Amino acid sequence: MADITDIKTILYTEKSLNLQEQGVVVIQTSPKMTKTGLKAVLKEYFGVTPQSINSLKMSGKVKRFRGRLGQRNDYKKFYVKLPEGVSLENMEA
């Protein structure tokens, strides 16, 4: 079962801020989060039922650190369309 601790952050980039004007919020989560799990978390903790959810798997980049290869963590991004007039900015979990 998904939990609120699986949500890492709400992304605030130039693209995501443009999407927020259309009622879409971009949420970064752990790779094990599912659409139904995210929907349940949003409903339980924020009291919001999303209209639609699109997901995207992001692989961690391979980077060098002090001459050694390493890899950043994998994560999932969710594009959540909220109902008209509802936002997650004013709500804190």
Side-chain angles (χ1 to χ4, degrees):
M1 181 71 186
D3 192 18
I4 189 76
T5 58
D6 291 333
I7 294 179
K8 293 181 181 177
T9 184
I10 296 176
L11 295 179
Y12 294 104
T13 61
E14 187 174 353
K15 180 180 178 180
S16 67
L17 290 175
N18 289 336
L19 287 172
Q20 280 187 357
E21 295 173 2
Q22 302 168 11
V24 177
V25 177
V26 182
I27 300 174
Q28 182 177 340
T29 67
S30 66
K32 67 180 183 177
M33 181 70 88
T34 61
K35 287 183 183 182
T36 55
L38 181 64
K39 186 175 182 179
V41 168
L42 290 175
K43 194 169 193 176
E44 181 178 345
Y45 290 97
F46 296 106
V48 175
T49 303
Q51 290 179 344
S52 65
I53 299 177
N54 294 326
S55 63
L56 180 70
K57 282 186 182 179
M58 300 295 292
S59 297
K61 292 171 90 173
V62 175
K63 303 289 279 188
R64 288 192 181 275
F65 181 71
R66 295 188 179 184
R68 295 179 185 232
L69 279 178
Q71 184 177 7
R72 292 183 180 169
N73 294 334
D74 298 341
Y75 61 93
K76 266 190 179 178
K77 276 198 309 193
F78 287 94
Y79 293 89
V80 181
K81 180 152 180 69
L82 299 174
E84 194 77 25
V86 176
S87 69
L88 295 180
E89 292 177 0
N90 301 336
M91 302 177 197
E92 292 294 325

